[in-house]
mmCIF file of all heavy atoms in Angstrom:
data_model
loop_
_atom_site.group_PDB
_atom_site.id
_atom_site.type_symbol
_atom_site.label_atom_id
_atom_site.label_comp_id
_atom_site.label_asym_id
_atom_site.label_seq_id
_atom_site.Cartn_x
_atom_site.Cartn_y
_atom_site.Cartn_z
ATOM 1 N N SER H 9 332.404 136.135 15.744
ATOM 2 C CA SER H 9 331.780 135.051 14.994
ATOM 3 C C SER H 9 332.468 133.733 15.333
ATOM 4 O O SER H 9 333.701 133.642 15.339
ATOM 5 C CB SER H 9 331.869 135.321 13.484
ATOM 6 O OG SER H 9 331.399 134.206 12.751
ATOM 7 N N HIS H 10 331.667 132.708 15.592
ATOM 8 C CA HIS H 10 332.193 131.375 15.893
ATOM 9 C C HIS H 10 332.254 130.501 14.646
ATOM 10 O O HIS H 10 332.447 129.290 14.753
ATOM 11 C CB HIS H 10 331.332 130.689 16.944
ATOM 12 C CG HIS H 10 331.379 131.350 18.281
ATOM 13 N ND1 HIS H 10 332.291 131.033 19.249
ATOM 14 C CD2 HIS H 10 330.621 132.355 18.803
ATOM 15 C CE1 HIS H 10 332.104 131.771 20.317
ATOM 16 N NE2 HIS H 10 331.088 132.592 20.076
ATOM 17 N N GLU H 11 332.084 131.101 13.497
ATOM 18 C CA GLU H 11 332.044 130.336 12.251
ATOM 19 C C GLU H 11 333.387 129.668 11.972
ATOM 20 O O GLU H 11 334.444 130.266 12.159
ATOM 21 C CB GLU H 11 331.679 131.266 11.093
ATOM 22 C CG GLU H 11 331.639 130.593 9.737
ATOM 23 C CD GLU H 11 331.332 131.574 8.629
ATOM 24 O OE1 GLU H 11 331.029 132.733 8.952
ATOM 25 O OE2 GLU H 11 331.392 131.189 7.450
ATOM 26 N N THR H 12 333.322 128.413 11.532
ATOM 27 C CA THR H 12 334.505 127.655 11.128
ATOM 28 C C THR H 12 334.340 127.230 9.675
ATOM 29 O O THR H 12 333.282 127.420 9.074
ATOM 30 C CB THR H 12 334.709 126.424 12.025
ATOM 31 O OG1 THR H 12 333.530 125.610 11.982
ATOM 32 C CG2 THR H 12 334.981 126.839 13.468
ATOM 33 N N GLN H 13 335.374 126.653 9.129
ATOM 34 C CA GLN H 13 335.365 126.223 7.736
ATOM 35 C C GLN H 13 335.436 124.696 7.668
ATOM 36 O O GLN H 13 336.027 124.052 8.539
ATOM 37 C CB GLN H 13 336.548 126.827 6.961
ATOM 38 C CG GLN H 13 336.548 128.347 6.931
ATOM 39 C CD GLN H 13 335.380 128.901 6.155
ATOM 40 O OE1 GLN H 13 334.898 128.280 5.192
ATOM 41 N NE2 GLN H 13 334.901 130.078 6.547
ATOM 42 N N ILE H 14 334.812 124.144 6.635
ATOM 43 C CA ILE H 14 334.853 122.701 6.418
ATOM 44 C C ILE H 14 334.765 122.449 4.919
ATOM 45 O O ILE H 14 334.151 123.239 4.180
ATOM 46 C CB ILE H 14 333.718 121.986 7.176
ATOM 47 C CG1 ILE H 14 334.021 120.497 7.325
ATOM 48 C CG2 ILE H 14 332.390 122.174 6.495
ATOM 49 C CD1 ILE H 14 333.097 119.792 8.277
ATOM 50 N N GLN H 15 335.373 121.372 4.465
ATOM 51 C CA GLN H 15 335.356 121.044 3.048
ATOM 52 C C GLN H 15 333.982 120.512 2.641
ATOM 53 O O GLN H 15 333.306 119.830 3.411
ATOM 54 C CB GLN H 15 336.431 119.997 2.715
ATOM 55 C CG GLN H 15 337.845 120.465 2.919
ATOM 56 C CD GLN H 15 338.308 120.322 4.356
ATOM 57 O OE1 GLN H 15 337.521 119.999 5.224
ATOM 58 N NE2 GLN H 15 339.572 120.549 4.587
ATOM 59 N N ARG H 16 333.577 120.835 1.432
ATOM 60 C CA ARG H 16 332.266 120.406 0.960
ATOM 61 C C ARG H 16 332.178 118.882 0.865
ATOM 62 O O ARG H 16 331.142 118.281 1.182
ATOM 63 C CB ARG H 16 331.967 121.032 -0.407
ATOM 64 C CG ARG H 16 330.651 120.556 -1.006
ATOM 65 C CD ARG H 16 330.277 121.302 -2.256
ATOM 66 N NE ARG H 16 329.100 120.733 -2.890
ATOM 67 C CZ ARG H 16 327.846 120.960 -2.506
ATOM 68 N NH1 ARG H 16 327.632 121.771 -1.475
ATOM 69 N NH2 ARG H 16 326.831 120.415 -3.130
ATOM 70 N N LYS H 17 333.262 118.226 0.440
ATOM 71 C CA LYS H 17 333.235 116.765 0.336
ATOM 72 C C LYS H 17 333.074 116.108 1.707
ATOM 73 O O LYS H 17 332.459 115.049 1.825
ATOM 74 C CB LYS H 17 334.513 116.268 -0.349
ATOM 75 C CG LYS H 17 334.595 116.630 -1.826
ATOM 76 C CD LYS H 17 335.831 116.024 -2.465
ATOM 77 C CE LYS H 17 335.887 116.353 -3.949
ATOM 78 N NZ LYS H 17 337.075 115.759 -4.605
ATOM 79 N N VAL H 18 333.631 116.734 2.741
ATOM 80 C CA VAL H 18 333.458 116.205 4.095
ATOM 81 C C VAL H 18 331.999 116.309 4.512
ATOM 82 O O VAL H 18 331.420 115.380 5.095
ATOM 83 C CB VAL H 18 334.384 116.954 5.077
ATOM 84 C CG1 VAL H 18 334.113 116.527 6.515
ATOM 85 C CG2 VAL H 18 335.840 116.706 4.727
ATOM 86 N N TRP H 19 331.369 117.450 4.201
ATOM 87 C CA TRP H 19 329.960 117.634 4.558
ATOM 88 C C TRP H 19 329.079 116.640 3.796
ATOM 89 O O TRP H 19 328.145 116.060 4.370
ATOM 90 C CB TRP H 19 329.534 119.063 4.240
ATOM 91 C CG TRP H 19 328.116 119.361 4.602
ATOM 92 C CD1 TRP H 19 327.625 119.710 5.824
ATOM 93 C CD2 TRP H 19 326.988 119.301 3.716
ATOM 94 N NE1 TRP H 19 326.266 119.879 5.755
ATOM 95 C CE2 TRP H 19 325.844 119.640 4.473
ATOM 96 C CE3 TRP H 19 326.841 119.012 2.366
ATOM 97 C CZ2 TRP H 19 324.577 119.694 3.920
ATOM 98 C CZ3 TRP H 19 325.575 119.057 1.814
ATOM 99 C CH2 TRP H 19 324.466 119.403 2.592
ATOM 100 N N LEU H 20 329.365 116.410 2.517
ATOM 101 C CA LEU H 20 328.579 115.454 1.739
ATOM 102 C C LEU H 20 328.733 114.040 2.271
ATOM 103 O O LEU H 20 327.760 113.275 2.352
ATOM 104 C CB LEU H 20 328.991 115.523 0.265
ATOM 105 C CG LEU H 20 328.669 116.818 -0.483
ATOM 106 C CD1 LEU H 20 329.208 116.751 -1.904
ATOM 107 C CD2 LEU H 20 327.181 117.086 -0.496
ATOM 108 N N MET H 21 329.955 113.663 2.650
ATOM 109 C CA MET H 21 330.175 112.321 3.182
ATOM 110 C C MET H 21 329.488 112.149 4.533
ATOM 111 O O MET H 21 328.952 111.072 4.838
ATOM 112 C CB MET H 21 331.683 112.056 3.323
ATOM 113 C CG MET H 21 332.015 110.624 3.696
ATOM 114 S SD MET H 21 331.409 109.458 2.455
ATOM 115 C CE MET H 21 331.326 107.946 3.381
ATOM 116 N N ALA H 22 329.452 113.190 5.352
ATOM 117 C CA ALA H 22 328.750 113.109 6.634
ATOM 118 C C ALA H 22 327.250 112.963 6.421
ATOM 119 O O ALA H 22 326.575 112.212 7.138
ATOM 120 C CB ALA H 22 329.062 114.351 7.475
ATOM 121 N N LEU H 23 326.695 113.659 5.422
ATOM 122 C CA LEU H 23 325.267 113.527 5.134
ATOM 123 C C LEU H 23 324.945 112.125 4.615
ATOM 124 O O LEU H 23 323.909 111.541 4.967
ATOM 125 C CB LEU H 23 324.847 114.590 4.118
ATOM 126 C CG LEU H 23 323.350 114.721 3.833
ATOM 127 C CD1 LEU H 23 322.572 114.953 5.121
ATOM 128 C CD2 LEU H 23 323.092 115.853 2.847
ATOM 129 N N ARG H 24 325.836 111.558 3.796
ATOM 130 C CA ARG H 24 325.635 110.166 3.367
ATOM 131 C C ARG H 24 325.681 109.212 4.564
ATOM 132 O O ARG H 24 324.913 108.246 4.625
ATOM 133 C CB ARG H 24 326.711 109.770 2.353
ATOM 134 C CG ARG H 24 326.641 110.502 1.034
ATOM 135 C CD ARG H 24 327.572 109.865 0.017
ATOM 136 N NE ARG H 24 327.865 110.758 -1.085
ATOM 137 C CZ ARG H 24 328.986 111.456 -1.213
ATOM 138 N NH1 ARG H 24 329.941 111.330 -0.317
ATOM 139 N NH2 ARG H 24 329.169 112.258 -2.236
ATOM 140 N N SER H 25 326.572 109.465 5.501
ATOM 141 C CA SER H 25 326.691 108.595 6.669
ATOM 142 C C SER H 25 325.418 108.635 7.511
ATOM 143 O O SER H 25 324.939 107.598 7.990
ATOM 144 C CB SER H 25 327.896 109.025 7.508
ATOM 145 O OG SER H 25 329.100 108.934 6.767
ATOM 146 N N VAL H 26 324.839 109.822 7.697
ATOM 147 C CA VAL H 26 323.625 109.940 8.502
ATOM 148 C C VAL H 26 322.447 109.256 7.801
ATOM 149 O O VAL H 26 321.670 108.528 8.435
ATOM 150 C CB VAL H 26 323.318 111.423 8.772
ATOM 151 C CG1 VAL H 26 321.976 111.571 9.469
ATOM 152 C CG2 VAL H 26 324.409 112.034 9.633
ATOM 153 N N LEU H 27 322.317 109.451 6.494
ATOM 154 C CA LEU H 27 321.230 108.784 5.763
ATOM 155 C C LEU H 27 321.406 107.267 5.767
ATOM 156 O O LEU H 27 320.428 106.520 5.879
ATOM 157 C CB LEU H 27 321.178 109.309 4.326
ATOM 158 C CG LEU H 27 320.790 110.786 4.153
ATOM 159 C CD1 LEU H 27 320.846 111.175 2.689
ATOM 160 C CD2 LEU H 27 319.408 111.052 4.727
ATOM 161 N N SER H 28 322.653 106.804 5.663
ATOM 162 C CA SER H 28 322.905 105.364 5.699
ATOM 163 C C SER H 28 322.589 104.785 7.078
ATOM 164 O O SER H 28 322.070 103.669 7.184
ATOM 165 C CB SER H 28 324.365 105.082 5.328
ATOM 166 O OG SER H 28 324.665 105.578 4.035
ATOM 167 N N ALA H 29 322.883 105.541 8.135
ATOM 168 C CA ALA H 29 322.551 105.070 9.478
ATOM 169 C C ALA H 29 321.043 104.997 9.680
ATOM 170 O O ALA H 29 320.528 104.041 10.279
ATOM 171 C CB ALA H 29 323.190 105.995 10.519
ATOM 172 N N LYS H 30 320.311 105.978 9.156
ATOM 173 C CA LYS H 30 318.852 105.932 9.262
ATOM 174 C C LYS H 30 318.282 104.735 8.481
ATOM 175 O O LYS H 30 317.355 104.064 8.941
ATOM 176 C CB LYS H 30 318.249 107.230 8.727
ATOM 177 C CG LYS H 30 318.536 108.456 9.586
ATOM 178 C CD LYS H 30 317.897 108.354 10.949
ATOM 179 C CE LYS H 30 318.131 109.600 11.768
ATOM 180 N NZ LYS H 30 317.573 109.493 13.143
ATOM 181 N N TYR H 31 318.839 104.475 7.311
ATOM 182 C CA TYR H 31 318.375 103.334 6.517
ATOM 183 C C TYR H 31 318.694 102.017 7.229
ATOM 184 O O TYR H 31 317.861 101.107 7.265
ATOM 185 C CB TYR H 31 319.017 103.377 5.135
ATOM 186 C CG TYR H 31 318.651 102.211 4.251
ATOM 187 C CD1 TYR H 31 317.494 102.242 3.472
ATOM 188 C CD2 TYR H 31 319.463 101.080 4.181
ATOM 189 C CE1 TYR H 31 317.150 101.172 2.663
ATOM 190 C CE2 TYR H 31 319.130 100.011 3.372
ATOM 191 C CZ TYR H 31 317.968 100.056 2.619
ATOM 192 O OH TYR H 31 317.632 98.991 1.823
ATOM 193 N N ALA H 32 319.889 101.903 7.796
ATOM 194 C CA ALA H 32 320.276 100.650 8.459
ATOM 195 C C ALA H 32 319.465 100.404 9.720
ATOM 196 O O ALA H 32 319.194 99.249 10.075
ATOM 197 C CB ALA H 32 321.775 100.686 8.784
ATOM 198 N N GLN H 33 319.045 101.458 10.419
ATOM 199 C CA GLN H 33 318.279 101.311 11.653
ATOM 200 C C GLN H 33 316.773 101.303 11.416
ATOM 201 O O GLN H 33 316.003 101.355 12.383
ATOM 202 C CB GLN H 33 318.634 102.457 12.612
ATOM 203 C CG GLN H 33 320.084 102.431 13.053
ATOM 204 C CD GLN H 33 320.476 103.661 13.860
ATOM 205 O OE1 GLN H 33 319.664 104.565 14.050
ATOM 206 N NE2 GLN H 33 321.699 103.699 14.337
ATOM 207 N N ASP H 34 316.357 101.245 10.154
ATOM 208 C CA ASP H 34 314.938 101.220 9.790
ATOM 209 C C ASP H 34 314.211 102.457 10.305
ATOM 210 O O ASP H 34 313.050 102.396 10.732
ATOM 211 C CB ASP H 34 314.266 99.945 10.323
ATOM 212 C CG ASP H 34 312.971 99.640 9.572
ATOM 213 O OD1 ASP H 34 312.770 100.203 8.481
ATOM 214 O OD2 ASP H 34 312.149 98.864 10.098
ATOM 215 N N GLN H 35 314.884 103.595 10.269
ATOM 216 C CA GLN H 35 314.291 104.865 10.690
ATOM 217 C C GLN H 35 314.126 105.824 9.518
ATOM 218 O O GLN H 35 313.810 106.996 9.722
ATOM 219 C CB GLN H 35 315.163 105.519 11.773
ATOM 220 C CG GLN H 35 315.242 104.711 13.055
ATOM 221 C CD GLN H 35 316.182 105.324 14.074
ATOM 222 O OE1 GLN H 35 316.923 106.250 13.766
ATOM 223 N NE2 GLN H 35 316.143 104.819 15.295
ATOM 224 N N LEU H 36 314.329 105.343 8.308
ATOM 225 C CA LEU H 36 314.118 106.133 7.101
ATOM 226 C C LEU H 36 312.821 105.663 6.438
ATOM 227 O O LEU H 36 312.674 104.489 6.106
ATOM 228 C CB LEU H 36 315.298 105.966 6.136
ATOM 229 C CG LEU H 36 315.169 106.663 4.785
ATOM 230 C CD1 LEU H 36 315.168 108.172 4.964
ATOM 231 C CD2 LEU H 36 316.295 106.244 3.854
ATOM 232 N N VAL H 37 311.890 106.591 6.274
ATOM 233 C CA VAL H 37 310.583 106.289 5.695
ATOM 234 C C VAL H 37 310.444 107.089 4.406
ATOM 235 O O VAL H 37 310.628 108.313 4.407
ATOM 236 C CB VAL H 37 309.438 106.631 6.669
ATOM 237 C CG1 VAL H 37 308.096 106.251 6.053
ATOM 238 C CG2 VAL H 37 309.642 105.922 7.996
ATOM 239 N N ILE H 38 310.143 106.399 3.314
ATOM 240 C CA ILE H 38 309.934 107.038 2.011
ATOM 241 C C ILE H 38 308.454 106.922 1.671
ATOM 242 O O ILE H 38 307.898 105.816 1.679
ATOM 243 C CB ILE H 38 310.802 106.376 0.927
ATOM 244 C CG1 ILE H 38 312.278 106.434 1.323
ATOM 245 C CG2 ILE H 38 310.598 107.062 -0.410
ATOM 246 C CD1 ILE H 38 313.195 105.693 0.383
ATOM 247 N N VAL H 39 307.818 108.052 1.391
ATOM 248 C CA VAL H 39 306.397 108.089 1.078
ATOM 249 C C VAL H 39 306.211 108.671 -0.319
ATOM 250 O O VAL H 39 307.119 109.298 -0.873
ATOM 251 C CB VAL H 39 305.609 108.900 2.128
ATOM 252 C CG1 VAL H 39 305.734 108.261 3.499
ATOM 253 C CG2 VAL H 39 306.109 110.345 2.175
ATOM 254 N N ASP H 40 305.018 108.452 -0.867
ATOM 255 C CA ASP H 40 304.746 108.981 -2.203
ATOM 256 C C ASP H 40 304.545 110.492 -2.166
ATOM 257 O O ASP H 40 305.064 111.227 -2.998
ATOM 258 C CB ASP H 40 303.534 108.277 -2.806
ATOM 259 C CG ASP H 40 302.356 108.261 -1.832
ATOM 260 O OD1 ASP H 40 302.530 108.701 -0.683
ATOM 261 O OD2 ASP H 40 301.260 107.803 -2.226
ATOM 262 N N ASN H 41 303.778 110.995 -1.191
ATOM 263 C CA ASN H 41 303.593 112.436 -0.986
ATOM 264 C C ASN H 41 303.146 112.654 0.454
ATOM 265 O O ASN H 41 302.837 111.696 1.176
ATOM 266 C CB ASN H 41 302.582 113.028 -1.976
ATOM 267 C CG ASN H 41 301.218 112.372 -1.878
ATOM 268 O OD1 ASN H 41 300.482 112.554 -0.912
ATOM 269 N ND2 ASN H 41 300.876 111.558 -2.892
ATOM 270 N N MET H 42 303.105 113.911 0.882
ATOM 271 C CA MET H 42 302.735 114.256 2.260
ATOM 272 C C MET H 42 301.511 115.157 2.302
ATOM 273 O O MET H 42 301.368 115.978 3.207
ATOM 274 C CB MET H 42 303.911 114.930 2.968
ATOM 275 C CG MET H 42 305.132 114.068 3.118
ATOM 276 S SD MET H 42 306.396 114.830 4.145
ATOM 277 C CE MET H 42 307.747 113.678 3.917
ATOM 278 N N GLU H 43 300.626 115.008 1.361
ATOM 279 C CA GLU H 43 299.415 115.814 1.343
ATOM 280 C C GLU H 43 298.388 115.204 2.295
ATOM 281 O O GLU H 43 298.116 114.001 2.244
ATOM 282 C CB GLU H 43 298.853 115.879 -0.075
ATOM 283 C CG GLU H 43 299.796 116.510 -1.081
ATOM 284 C CD GLU H 43 299.213 116.520 -2.479
ATOM 285 O OE1 GLU H 43 298.003 116.177 -2.603
ATOM 286 O OE2 GLU H 43 299.936 116.848 -3.425
ATOM 287 N N ILE H 44 297.837 116.035 3.167
ATOM 288 C CA ILE H 44 296.787 115.605 4.099
ATOM 289 C C ILE H 44 295.579 116.511 3.887
ATOM 290 O O ILE H 44 295.684 117.648 3.418
ATOM 291 C CB ILE H 44 297.268 115.647 5.562
ATOM 292 C CG1 ILE H 44 297.767 117.035 5.937
ATOM 293 C CG2 ILE H 44 298.363 114.619 5.789
ATOM 294 C CD1 ILE H 44 298.199 117.153 7.406
ATOM 295 N N ASP H 45 294.399 115.993 4.294
ATOM 296 C CA ASP H 45 293.154 116.707 4.038
ATOM 297 C C ASP H 45 292.838 117.748 5.097
ATOM 298 O O ASP H 45 292.156 118.731 4.813
ATOM 299 C CB ASP H 45 291.989 115.707 3.942
ATOM 300 C CG ASP H 45 292.190 114.720 2.800
ATOM 301 O OD1 ASP H 45 292.845 115.100 1.800
ATOM 302 O OD2 ASP H 45 291.721 113.570 2.923
ATOM 303 N N SER H 46 293.294 117.543 6.326
ATOM 304 C CA SER H 46 292.927 118.434 7.425
ATOM 305 C C SER H 46 294.157 119.147 7.963
ATOM 306 O O SER H 46 295.273 118.634 7.908
ATOM 307 C CB SER H 46 292.246 117.636 8.545
ATOM 308 O OG SER H 46 291.979 118.469 9.660
ATOM 309 N N HIS H 47 293.926 120.335 8.497
ATOM 310 C CA HIS H 47 295.001 121.097 9.129
ATOM 311 C C HIS H 47 294.953 120.987 10.647
ATOM 312 O O HIS H 47 295.645 121.728 11.341
ATOM 313 C CB HIS H 47 294.895 122.579 8.726
ATOM 314 C CG HIS H 47 293.641 123.236 9.219
ATOM 315 N ND1 HIS H 47 292.436 123.118 8.558
ATOM 316 C CD2 HIS H 47 293.399 124.003 10.310
ATOM 317 C CE1 HIS H 47 291.511 123.796 9.210
ATOM 318 N NE2 HIS H 47 292.068 124.346 10.285
ATOM 319 N N LYS H 48 294.149 120.047 11.176
ATOM 320 C CA LYS H 48 294.010 119.883 12.618
ATOM 321 C C LYS H 48 295.250 119.201 13.197
ATOM 322 O O LYS H 48 295.723 118.178 12.682
ATOM 323 C CB LYS H 48 292.772 119.049 12.946
ATOM 324 C CG LYS H 48 291.453 119.703 12.529
ATOM 325 C CD LYS H 48 291.197 120.958 13.360
ATOM 326 C CE LYS H 48 289.828 121.535 13.035
ATOM 327 N NZ LYS H 48 289.525 122.738 13.848
ATOM 328 N N THR H 49 295.727 119.763 14.293
ATOM 329 C CA THR H 49 296.901 119.185 14.948
ATOM 330 C C THR H 49 296.596 117.818 15.537
ATOM 331 O O THR H 49 297.429 116.905 15.504
ATOM 332 C CB THR H 49 297.395 120.133 16.056
ATOM 333 O OG1 THR H 49 297.718 121.393 15.478
ATOM 334 C CG2 THR H 49 298.621 119.570 16.739
ATOM 335 N N GLY H 50 295.406 117.640 16.081
ATOM 336 C CA GLY H 50 295.049 116.362 16.696
ATOM 337 C C GLY H 50 295.034 115.223 15.699
ATOM 338 O O GLY H 50 295.465 114.103 16.020
ATOM 339 N N GLU H 51 294.570 115.474 14.494
ATOM 340 C CA GLU H 51 294.528 114.404 13.496
ATOM 341 C C GLU H 51 295.935 114.009 13.038
ATOM 342 O O GLU H 51 296.213 112.824 12.842
ATOM 343 C CB GLU H 51 293.692 114.859 12.302
ATOM 344 C CG GLU H 51 292.225 115.077 12.637
ATOM 345 C CD GLU H 51 291.401 115.365 11.408
ATOM 346 O OE1 GLU H 51 291.958 115.238 10.291
ATOM 347 O OE2 GLU H 51 290.206 115.697 11.553
ATOM 348 N N LEU H 52 296.814 114.980 12.870
ATOM 349 C CA LEU H 52 298.194 114.643 12.502
ATOM 350 C C LEU H 52 298.889 113.903 13.632
ATOM 351 O O LEU H 52 299.631 112.942 13.400
ATOM 352 C CB LEU H 52 298.969 115.907 12.142
ATOM 353 C CG LEU H 52 300.443 115.713 11.776
ATOM 354 C CD1 LEU H 52 300.594 114.801 10.566
ATOM 355 C CD2 LEU H 52 301.125 117.055 11.518
ATOM 356 N N SER H 53 298.645 114.329 14.877
ATOM 357 C CA SER H 53 299.255 113.636 16.017
ATOM 358 C C SER H 53 298.740 112.213 16.122
ATOM 359 O O SER H 53 299.508 111.275 16.422
ATOM 360 C CB SER H 53 298.965 114.423 17.296
ATOM 361 O OG SER H 53 299.527 113.773 18.405
ATOM 362 N N ARG H 54 297.448 112.015 15.865
ATOM 363 C CA ARG H 54 296.874 110.662 15.907
ATOM 364 C C ARG H 54 297.438 109.805 14.779
ATOM 365 O O ARG H 54 297.709 108.608 14.968
ATOM 366 C CB ARG H 54 295.350 110.759 15.797
ATOM 367 C CG ARG H 54 294.623 109.452 16.091
ATOM 368 C CD ARG H 54 293.116 109.619 15.976
ATOM 369 N NE ARG H 54 292.641 110.722 16.811
ATOM 370 C CZ ARG H 54 292.231 111.903 16.333
ATOM 371 N NH1 ARG H 54 292.221 112.116 15.020
ATOM 372 N NH2 ARG H 54 291.807 112.849 17.141
ATOM 373 N N MET H 55 297.670 110.390 13.609
ATOM 374 C CA MET H 55 298.222 109.634 12.492
ATOM 375 C C MET H 55 299.656 109.194 12.777
ATOM 376 O O MET H 55 300.050 108.064 12.473
ATOM 377 C CB MET H 55 298.167 110.485 11.222
ATOM 378 C CG MET H 55 298.617 109.756 9.962
ATOM 379 S SD MET H 55 298.676 110.844 8.527
ATOM 380 C CE MET H 55 300.042 111.893 8.980
#
């Protein structure tokens, strides 16, 4: 097993850092919901 150990506070701080980087680079999008009417792949790709 290649499993290693890490502190939970370190993991939480890293997740905050990634979310903050996405927000600062305008790559974080917040939407009201993700419900769509069609299950077609082409329509989602076009959207």
Side-chain angles (χ1 to χ4, degrees):
S9 174
H10 294 270
E11 179 182 353
T12 57
Q13 300 294 329
I14 198 169
Q15 295 84 352
R16 176 173 174 80
K17 291 184 178 181
V18 174
W19 181 83
L20 293 177
M21 188 60 202
L23 188 55
R24 294 191 199 101
S25 300
V26 174
L27 294 177
S28 301
K30 291 295 183 183
Y31 178 86
Q33 296 173 357
D34 200 17
Q35 296 176 350
L36 176 66
V37 182
I38 303 174
V39 298
D40 50 355
N41 59 71
M42 297 188 188
E43 299 178 9
I44 56 177
D45 299 331
S46 175
H47 64 278
K48 296 293 185 179
T49 301
E51 295 187 8
L52 178 60
S53 179
R54 191 180 306 107
M55 185 185 69

